[in-house]
Amino acid sequence: MATCAAFFILGAVFATWASRIPAIRDVSMLTPVTLGYALLGRGLGTIVIMPAVTGLIHRVGAKKASMLFGVLLILSLIPMAVAPDWIVLTLVLFITGAGASGYNISINALGSRIEESTGRSHMSMIHSWFGVGNVAGALAGTAMASQQFSVVLHFWGVAMLLLVVLMGVYSYLPEDGPDPQAVKARFKLPHGSLLWLGVICFVAASIEDSIMNWVTLFFTDYVGASEGLAPIGYTAYAVSMLIMRLVGDRLKPRFGAKALITGGSVIAASGIIISILSPNLMVASIGFVMAGAGVALTFPMIFSAAGKEGAVALATVATMGALGGMLSQPIMGYLVDNFTLTGGFIFICICMLAVGAGSQKARLLKK
């Protein structure tokens, strides 16, 4: 449960940012292109820190690493709310990306340790608490935006609350320590059987980062929702993702990871198309319910498979995800600027179908 709470924190931070992007856009005076550049900064932070994450986990253990990176991630919310332009916001998001990357890898390593010690699949349930945090953060963002609370007050309050949660659960996280043999392992990009897991993670991260960063703008600028109602799209997405992850560990033995990822990708792409073709609040929300349910099991299945190959394998696959999240955001900015939000979300739809196709090639994913 402590590991689940750690995932809750990650989801809450992401949803807090995603729910207030329209307000941050106004504070930092962003265009679609400069928003893409700022998000590129977060991706760069994710990539730059990755080799250090692997070494730190091997030397001090994932538990201590999760505390260090968790504090960095949470505190990055505070300057994010007052960045005066896209350059400052890019620097802040660089720090956010570094903290999120280290924290994500650390707590996934703890989740893999639980699976190894119990001999059972737990990753989908553990990842579902990322969804709980997503839902809680999105609902809080909706409430704050509808009541016209400032981003500064909102982000300060969330940061202080999440710090308390992190400190409260830290002592209950799975115990681990340095691995003298693993310390010698060096970070490297995925190859061999891991390559397809890395490719899927690359595209899947492009999807999740793009939805997280652009769905609220989709609802304000494309659907026409007010700023107070705009976070409802992300909330619908996060709730359906949560529900699907709650049952994912039961579905995996019956259907297999490949079938779940492939079928989910088709459902998710269908949901995005529905939202694009029927731009009203209710129908678009239903479309994002389908999208959330469709993509929900991709990361738990990937990280579960990679975690069985060791911490270095987990980090290398996650690096591919970080690259996907980083490179996709300037592409989204360009597409939105030149082809409106329709072009950007068609790009997301194509990525969803690519994940389904790639899952059929991954030998480490159980059928």
Side-chain angles (χ1 to χ4, degrees):
M1 289 307 298
T3 306
C4 290
F7 274 87
F8 172 92
I9 292 170
L10 185 64
V13 171
F14 283 177
T16 299
W17 151 263
S19 66
R20 300 305 299 269
I21 286 179
I24 293 173
R25 175 185 61 180
D26 295 340
V27 170
S28 300
M29 298 178 288
L30 302 175
T31 66
V33 172
T34 55
L35 175 57
Y37 291 156
L39 295 171
L40 177 63
R42 189 179 70 184
L44 286 172
T46 301
I47 297 298
V48 168
I49 201 66
M50 194 67 74
V53 173
T54 306
L56 187 64
I57 290 176
H58 287 326
R59 285 168 173 77
V60 304
K63 181 177 179 177
K64 291 181 180 178
S66 69
M67 172 59 80
L68 172 65
F69 288 114
V71 171
L72 180 65
L73 171 64
I74 292 168
L75 292 181
S76 70
L77 282 172
I78 295 172
M80 194 185 298
V82 294
D85 54 48
W86 72 270
I87 297 176
V88 175
L89 183 62
T90 300
L91 295 174
V92 174
L93 290 180
F94 180 90
I95 297 171
T96 303
S101 176
Y103 186 67
N104 187 31
I105 295 299
S106 300
I107 59 179
N108 269 288
L110 294 175
S112 295
R113 187 175 183 86
I114 292 173
E115 287 196 328
E116 291 173 4
S117 64
T118 61
R120 297 174 55 192
S121 176
H122 294 284
M123 197 64 87
S124 183
M125 174 60 72
I126 292 172
H127 272 249
S128 73
W129 281 82
F130 174 88
V132 175
N134 249 322
V135 172
L139 289 174
T142 302
M144 291 289 185
S146 63
Q147 296 300 314
Q148 298 183 339
F149 281 92
S150 70
V151 181
V152 175
L153 180 62
H154 178 190
F155 282 21
W156 263 98
V158 170
M160 295 302 102
L161 178 61
L162 293 182
L163 278 177
V164 171
V165 174
L166 179 62
M167 293 177 182
V169 304
Y170 174 74
S171 61
Y172 298 98
L173 291 172
E175 294 293 341
D176 72 335
D179 185 341
Q181 294 181 344
V183 169
K184 299 178 182 179
R186 294 184 177 181
F187 175 84
K188 52 188 176 183
L189 289 174
H191 62 282
S193 298
L194 280 176
L195 180 59
W196 276 107
L197 288 185
V199 170
I200 297 169
C201 197
F202 180 97
V203 183
S206 300
I207 295 167
E208 290 210 10
D209 279 28
S210 296
I211 291 179
M212 177 182 69
N213 294 322
W214 297 90
V215 63
T216 313
L217 295 176
F218 181 87
F219 273 76
T220 54
D221 298 359
Y222 188 78
V223 177
S226 65
E227 185 177 328
L229 288 176
I232 198 170
Y234 188 77
T235 304
Y237 170 78
V239 168
S240 64
M241 180 182 288
L242 166 61
I243 293 172
M244 183 57 67
R245 285 181 174 171
L246 287 172
V247 300
D249 289 320
R250 298 179 183 178
L251 296 175
K252 184 179 179 181
R254 182 175 180 181
F255 298 102
K258 287 187 178 182
L260 290 172
I261 293 176
T262 302
S265 298
V266 174
I267 292 171
S270 300
I272 295 296
I273 293 298
I274 288 172
S275 298
I276 293 173
L277 295 178
S278 303
N280 67 71
L281 187 63
M282 181 175 293
V283 176
S285 298
I286 292 172
F288 278 93
V289 167
M290 295 173 63
V295 303
L297 299 183
T298 302
F299 274 123
M301 300 300 176
I302 293 171
F303 284 129
S304 179
K308 291 180 174 64
E309 305 299 312
V312 173
L314 182 62
T316 56
V317 169
T319 299
M320 292 294 287
L323 282 169
M326 176 183 70
L327 297 177
S328 61
Q329 298 317 291
I331 294 173
M332 281 290 294
Y334 172 82
L335 291 173
V336 172
D337 194 47
N338 290 276
F339 303 100
T340 73
L341 284 156
T342 302
F345 277 81
I346 288 176
F347 167 71
I348 294 174
C349 182
I350 293 171
C351 288
M352 289 171 170
L353 296 176
V355 165
S359 67
Q360 298 301 309
K361 301 288 187 180
R363 289 186 296 171
L364 293 178
L365 285 174
K366 294 182 179 179
K367 295 182 179 181

